[in-house]
Amino acid sequence: MTSPWSRSTTWTDGELSIAGVPVSTLAARFGTPSYVLDVDDLRSRCRDVVTAAHRAGEQHGIETAVYYASKAFSSTAVLRWAHAEGLRVDVASLGELATALRAEVPGAAIGLHGNNKSEEEIDLALQHGVGRIVIDSIPEIELVAERAAAAGVVAPVMVRVTTGVHAGGHEYIATAHEDQKFGLSLATGAAAEAVEAILQTPQLTLLGLHSHIGSQIFAADGFVESARALFRLRSEIAAASGVLLPELDLGGGFGVAYTPDDDAPDVPALVAELVATVARVAAETGEPAPALSFEPGRSLVGPAMTTLYRVGTVKPVRLEGGGERLYVSVDGGMSDNIRTVLYDATYTAVLASRTADAEAVLSRVVGKHCESGDIVVRDVMLPADIRRGDLLAVPVTGAYGRSLASNYNQLPRPGVVAVGDGEPREIVRRETIDDLLALDVG
Ligand code: LLP
């Protein structure tokens, strides 16, 4: 059992409050739907994972770095907070890179990912002296070398290795098995081939090996297995070329609890365990331990945000096998949270603006889009008297919520409201109909 609610969420005076601000105040001031970011929650998760990695590293003589995977949620305020807590930033597009630069994250603290990097992305990254570019294919070696030569710099790179480890919640978010687009295969020798080619390219410096095995992973074994696989490859490279690569990156993917039934891992403890594992493997082989880096996204920002919706239509529907389900429509839906539809993700929800004595009944939270699949929370027990005007809160929407949001049905995307950092304020403004129409140039 892990509470899905952000750390400063309380039940006070008959309603839900986040960082001491009642949801009714937030809804009145910023409207609904809104993503509400509990700043203390985010910052403490960032701090805890950096501290755990650092402490374990000190204990075992291993240097560590933690990158915030900004694809989970990218905004300048969040990147500034993460960087202030000691994180670096992982970006995977021109927009994510531009956001990190706008947040004044130093280039050296930025890592560039992507299976199809554009010349523009590579050039901007090199211009700002990014700490590393993670090579994802053989042709990319030449491309990055060419752009580095044009810029007159030597590009620091890592090789993304497909270790064959199967982990992760859903097929679409598992990434280290063979039949998918990311990385260079360990099994076919493509990873070793890439390493060899990079070592012979003067415009590139090889920092190390990278593996990201998937997302929403609860158990440590997949990470341990991939760490061992990377370590073995590093030993083989050293034996073949005499070069002992200084760093391994074990990626992100640590799971979070979306409902109280999920038994999510303690991420700082898991990171410390992985540092200790690599130290042990190094001791067994007698080789110097590599520096280690990690790239969590979801586990840092996911639990820090809660979506606030306003309830509209409420409709009881008779079920085929008997019984009833209450369909509770909210003023957003699959445009602000596609994860339920896309990955069969499970969420929970509560009536947040008042207490209710009515019995809890089987309910489904649905959006306002023109699709029957437009489901936010598939099954949840809600008070039978839930009605138009009530506020509904859905926790753990910070990761891949706003970042996967769309304008389906021409709905403006919700804003992100930060609480717990002075006055509540929008750090990402709610879109307006005018914003949408401004793009329509006829
Ligand atoms: N590093 C790399 C190279 C990645 O591709 C990802 C996520 C991460 C780190 C961060 O993983 P995290 O710690 O956030 O699990 N949209 C999906 C998740 C896609 C993950 C993409 N890559 C979802 O909503 O579940």
Side-chain angles (χ1 to χ4, degrees):
M1 278 266 284
T2 317
S3 167
W5 297 97
S6 75
R7 289 175 184 171
S8 316
T9 304
T10 54
W11 194 264
T12 310
D13 299 329
E15 67 174 306
L16 203 72
S17 283
I18 306 175
V21 191
V23 289
S24 57
T25 307
L26 291 169
R29 195 149 152 209
F30 300 103
T32 54
S34 281
Y35 303 98
V36 182
L37 170 66
D38 177 344
V39 178
D40 274 346
D41 184 285
L42 170 75
R43 294 194 68 149
S44 59
R45 283 175 205 276
C46 289
R47 199 178 314 135
D48 290 352
V49 71
V50 169
T51 307
H54 187 70
R55 286 219 181 110
E58 268 190 345
Q59 199 183 334
H60 298 285
I62 290 182
E63 248 182 76
T64 62
V66 184
Y67 288 75
Y68 167 63
S70 68
K71 67 205 74 185
F73 175 75
S74 171
S75 84
T76 53
V78 162
L79 297 187
R80 281 202 182 94
W81 283 315
H83 186 55
E85 295 297 349
L87 280 101
R88 300 180 188 179
V89 176
D90 153 33
V91 299
S93 71
L94 197 65
E96 287 177 5
L97 176 55
T99 310
L101 293 172
R102 176 76 67 86
E104 293 174 322
V105 178
I110 298 175
L112 176 66
H113 262 289
N115 67 300
N116 186 22
K117 299 174 191 76
S118 67
E119 290 186 7
E120 203 182 356
E121 286 162 348
I122 297 166
D123 287 350
L124 187 65
L126 291 174
Q127 186 192 325
H128 288 273
V130 289
R132 62 196 207 184
I133 296 177
V134 183
I135 298 284
D136 203 87
S137 66
I138 299 283
E140 201 174 80
I141 297 170
E142 213 177 295
L143 178 63
V144 175
E146 207 179 273
R147 302 319 302 164
V153 297
V154 173
V157 299
M158 295 188 96
V159 169
R160 180 157 174 179
V161 180
T162 308
T163 57
V165 175
H166 287 261
H170 189 280
E171 184 199 336
Y172 297 169
I173 56 179
T175 49
H177 54 293
E178 294 288 335
D179 189 6
Q180 48 83 31
K181 69 176 181 171
F182 292 112
L184 289 140
S185 166
L186 189 64
T188 67
E193 187 192 326
V195 166
E196 212 171 293
I198 292 168
L199 290 176
Q200 284 165 18
T201 306
Q203 292 82 21
L204 306 178
T205 306
L206 185 56
L207 301 179
L209 307 172
H210 178 288
S211 167
H212 170 76
I213 58 173
S215 205
Q216 186 59 356
I217 299 165
F218 278 28
D221 9 336
F223 294 106
V224 169
E225 208 184 310
S226 91
R228 285 185 178 276
L230 290 188
F231 198 97
R232 270 196 303 278
L233 178 59
R234 176 178 179 254
S235 306
E236 284 163 22
I237 294 162
S241 67
V243 178
L244 190 65
L245 297 176
E247 184 174 343
L248 300 181
D249 188 306
L250 302 183
F254 311 116
V256 302
Y258 281 98
T259 77
D261 296 332
D262 293 334
D263 206 3
D266 174 340
V267 174
L270 178 50
V271 163
E273 182 188 334
L274 292 172
V275 173
T277 303
V278 170
R280 212 170 34 247
V281 176
E284 279 163 23
T285 57
E287 286 168 20
L292 281 183
S293 46
F294 301 90
E295 279 172 357
R298 186 195 311 269
S299 55
L300 301 177
V301 75
M305 282 193 220
T306 300
T307 306
L308 276 190
Y309 297 104
R310 181 80 66 186
V311 172
T313 305
V314 177
K315 184 192 285 182
V317 171
R318 179 79 47 82
L319 299 178
E320 261 175 36
E324 223 173 59
R325 190 198 303 279
L326 202 58
Y327 274 76
V328 178
S329 299
V330 294
D331 49 358
M334 63 193 289
S335 53
D336 60 72
N337 187 352
I338 190 69
R339 296 195 67 263
T340 308
V341 185
L342 197 55
Y343 312 115
D344 230 347
T346 313
Y347 286 87
T348 188
V350 296
L351 168 58
S353 47
R354 63 180 173 92
T355 51
D357 294 328
E359 66 163 329
V361 295
L362 180 65
S363 308
R364 178 164 288 174
V365 180
V366 295
K368 62 183 278 109
H369 294 280
C370 304
E371 290 203 27
S372 57
D374 173 24
I375 295 168
V376 179
V377 184
R378 195 170 296 279
D379 293 305
V380 61
M381 300 298 284
L382 289 172
D385 69 348
I386 194 162
R387 55 186 177 257
R388 175 174 288 276
D390 281 336
L391 291 172
L392 196 89
V394 176
V396 203
T397 54
Y400 311 106
R402 181 62 173 72
S403 71
L404 286 179
S406 75
N407 293 119
Y408 184 34
N409 287 134
Q410 289 286 58
L411 252 65
R413 289 175 299 173
V416 180
V417 178
V419 291
D421 178 65
E423 270 297 289
R425 68 179 199 281
E426 266 188 340
I427 56 167
V428 176
R429 177 172 68 71
R430 169 188 305 288
E431 281 176 347
T432 62
I433 298 292
D434 283 345
D435 287 329
L436 293 181
L437 290 179
L439 297 176
D440 184 334
V441 292

PDB file of all heavy atoms in Angstrom, residues 4 20 62 147 163 175 213 219 338 365 421 428:
ATOM      1  N   PRO A   4      -1.425   7.334  -2.897  1.00  0.00           N
ATOM      2  CA  PRO A   4      -1.200   7.996  -4.173  1.00  0.00           C
ATOM      3  C   PRO A   4      -1.224   9.525  -4.065  1.00  0.00           C
ATOM      4  O   PRO A   4      -0.934  10.212  -5.039  1.00  0.00           O
ATOM      5  CB  PRO A   4      -2.374   7.499  -5.023  1.00  0.00           C
ATOM      6  CG  PRO A   4      -3.455   7.183  -4.049  1.00  0.00           C
ATOM      7  CD  PRO A   4      -2.788   6.798  -2.762  1.00  0.00           C
ATOM      8  N   GLY A  20      -2.034  23.255   1.895  1.00  0.00           N
ATOM      9  CA  GLY A  20      -2.835  24.171   2.709  1.00  0.00           C
ATOM     10  C   GLY A  20      -3.867  24.973   1.922  1.00  0.00           C
ATOM     11  O   GLY A  20      -4.592  25.775   2.505  1.00  0.00           O
ATOM     12  N   ILE A  62      31.687   5.484  -5.712  1.00  0.00           N
ATOM     13  CA  ILE A  62      31.123   5.598  -7.063  1.00  0.00           C
ATOM     14  C   ILE A  62      30.536   6.997  -7.238  1.00  0.00           C
ATOM     15  O   ILE A  62      29.771   7.455  -6.392  1.00  0.00           O
ATOM     16  CB  ILE A  62      30.023   4.528  -7.271  1.00  0.00           C
ATOM     17  CG1 ILE A  62      30.664   3.133  -7.346  1.00  0.00           C
ATOM     18  CG2 ILE A  62      29.175   4.813  -8.508  1.00  0.00           C
ATOM     19  CD1 ILE A  62      29.683   2.011  -7.600  1.00  0.00           C
ATOM     20  N   ARG A 147      28.313  16.755 -37.424  1.00  0.00           N
ATOM     21  CA  ARG A 147      27.851  18.014 -36.834  1.00  0.00           C
ATOM     22  C   ARG A 147      28.894  18.553 -35.842  1.00  0.00           C
ATOM     23  O   ARG A 147      29.074  19.760 -35.720  1.00  0.00           O
ATOM     24  CB  ARG A 147      26.498  17.845 -36.119  1.00  0.00           C
ATOM     25  CG  ARG A 147      25.336  17.329 -36.952  1.00  0.00           C
ATOM     26  CD  ARG A 147      25.221  17.888 -38.324  1.00  0.00           C
ATOM     27  NE  ARG A 147      25.101  19.331 -38.349  1.00  0.00           N
ATOM     28  CZ  ARG A 147      25.283  20.096 -39.427  1.00  0.00           C
ATOM     29  NH1 ARG A 147      25.621  19.543 -40.584  1.00  0.00           N
ATOM     30  NH2 ARG A 147      25.157  21.400 -39.353  1.00  0.00           N
ATOM     31  N   THR A 163      19.437  -4.303 -23.902  1.00  0.00           N
ATOM     32  CA  THR A 163      20.008  -5.436 -23.164  1.00  0.00           C
ATOM     33  C   THR A 163      19.173  -6.701 -23.273  1.00  0.00           C
ATOM     34  O   THR A 163      19.595  -7.767 -22.831  1.00  0.00           O
ATOM     35  CB  THR A 163      20.132  -5.085 -21.672  1.00  0.00           C
ATOM     36  OG1 THR A 163      18.827  -4.718 -21.213  1.00  0.00           O
ATOM     37  CG2 THR A 163      21.114  -3.945 -21.450  1.00  0.00           C
ATOM     38  N   THR A 175      11.103  -1.042 -23.172  1.00  0.00           N
ATOM     39  CA  THR A 175      11.997  -0.507 -24.211  1.00  0.00           C
ATOM     40  C   THR A 175      13.285  -1.283 -24.445  1.00  0.00           C
ATOM     41  O   THR A 175      14.031  -0.922 -25.344  1.00  0.00           O
ATOM     42  CB  THR A 175      12.405   0.940 -23.858  1.00  0.00           C
ATOM     43  OG1 THR A 175      12.830   0.961 -22.521  1.00  0.00           O
ATOM     44  CG2 THR A 175      11.269   1.900 -24.074  1.00  0.00           C
ATOM     45  N   ILE A 213      15.234   0.344 -19.476  1.00  0.00           N
ATOM     46  CA  ILE A 213      14.558  -0.928 -19.756  1.00  0.00           C
ATOM     47  C   ILE A 213      13.044  -0.816 -19.862  1.00  0.00           C
ATOM     48  O   ILE A 213      12.387  -1.772 -20.250  1.00  0.00           O
ATOM     49  CB  ILE A 213      14.931  -2.028 -18.719  1.00  0.00           C
ATOM     50  CG1 ILE A 213      14.577  -1.580 -17.295  1.00  0.00           C
ATOM     51  CG2 ILE A 213      16.388  -2.397 -18.838  1.00  0.00           C
ATOM     52  CD1 ILE A 213      14.759  -2.692 -16.264  1.00  0.00           C
ATOM     53  N   ALA A 219       9.818  -3.877  -9.708  1.00  0.00           N
ATOM     54  CA  ALA A 219      10.810  -4.760  -9.091  1.00  0.00           C
ATOM     55  C   ALA A 219      12.233  -4.353  -9.471  1.00  0.00           C
ATOM     56  O   ALA A 219      12.467  -3.770 -10.536  1.00  0.00           O
ATOM     57  CB  ALA A 219      10.553  -6.192  -9.545  1.00  0.00           C
ATOM     58  N   ILE A 338      -4.527  10.805 -21.263  1.00  0.00           N
ATOM     59  CA  ILE A 338      -4.746   9.755 -22.269  1.00  0.00           C
ATOM     60  C   ILE A 338      -4.279   8.393 -21.740  1.00  0.00           C
ATOM     61  O   ILE A 338      -4.475   7.363 -22.380  1.00  0.00           O
ATOM     62  CB  ILE A 338      -3.984  10.122 -23.581  1.00  0.00           C
ATOM     63  CG1 ILE A 338      -4.333   9.229 -24.773  1.00  0.00           C
ATOM     64  CG2 ILE A 338      -2.488  10.090 -23.379  1.00  0.00           C
ATOM     65  CD1 ILE A 338      -5.707   9.406 -25.310  1.00  0.00           C
ATOM     66  N   VAL A 365     -15.322   7.493 -14.003  1.00  0.00           N
ATOM     67  CA  VAL A 365     -15.124   8.909 -14.322  1.00  0.00           C
ATOM     68  C   VAL A 365     -14.808   9.012 -15.807  1.00  0.00           C
ATOM     69  O   VAL A 365     -13.853   8.400 -16.292  1.00  0.00           O
ATOM     70  CB  VAL A 365     -13.970   9.519 -13.492  1.00  0.00           C
ATOM     71  CG1 VAL A 365     -13.780  10.990 -13.843  1.00  0.00           C
ATOM     72  CG2 VAL A 365     -14.236   9.339 -12.000  1.00  0.00           C
ATOM     73  N   ASP A 421       4.743  27.129  -2.955  1.00  0.00           N
ATOM     74  CA  ASP A 421       5.922  27.946  -3.244  1.00  0.00           C
ATOM     75  C   ASP A 421       5.432  29.394  -3.281  1.00  0.00           C
ATOM     76  O   ASP A 421       5.264  29.976  -4.336  1.00  0.00           O
ATOM     77  CB  ASP A 421       6.526  27.538  -4.595  1.00  0.00           C
ATOM     78  CG  ASP A 421       7.740  28.391  -4.970  1.00  0.00           C
ATOM     79  OD1 ASP A 421       8.743  28.306  -4.248  1.00  0.00           O
ATOM     80  OD2 ASP A 421       7.664  29.137  -5.964  1.00  0.00           O
ATOM     81  N   VAL A 428       2.246  26.942 -15.846  1.00  0.00           N
ATOM     82  CA  VAL A 428       1.917  26.796 -17.267  1.00  0.00           C
ATOM     83  C   VAL A 428       0.495  27.327 -17.398  1.00  0.00           C
ATOM     84  O   VAL A 428      -0.411  26.859 -16.698  1.00  0.00           O
ATOM     85  CB  VAL A 428       1.971  25.328 -17.737  1.00  0.00           C
ATOM     86  CG1 VAL A 428       1.533  25.208 -19.195  1.00  0.00           C
ATOM     87  CG2 VAL A 428       3.363  24.738 -17.566  1.00  0.00           C
TER      88      VAL A 428
END
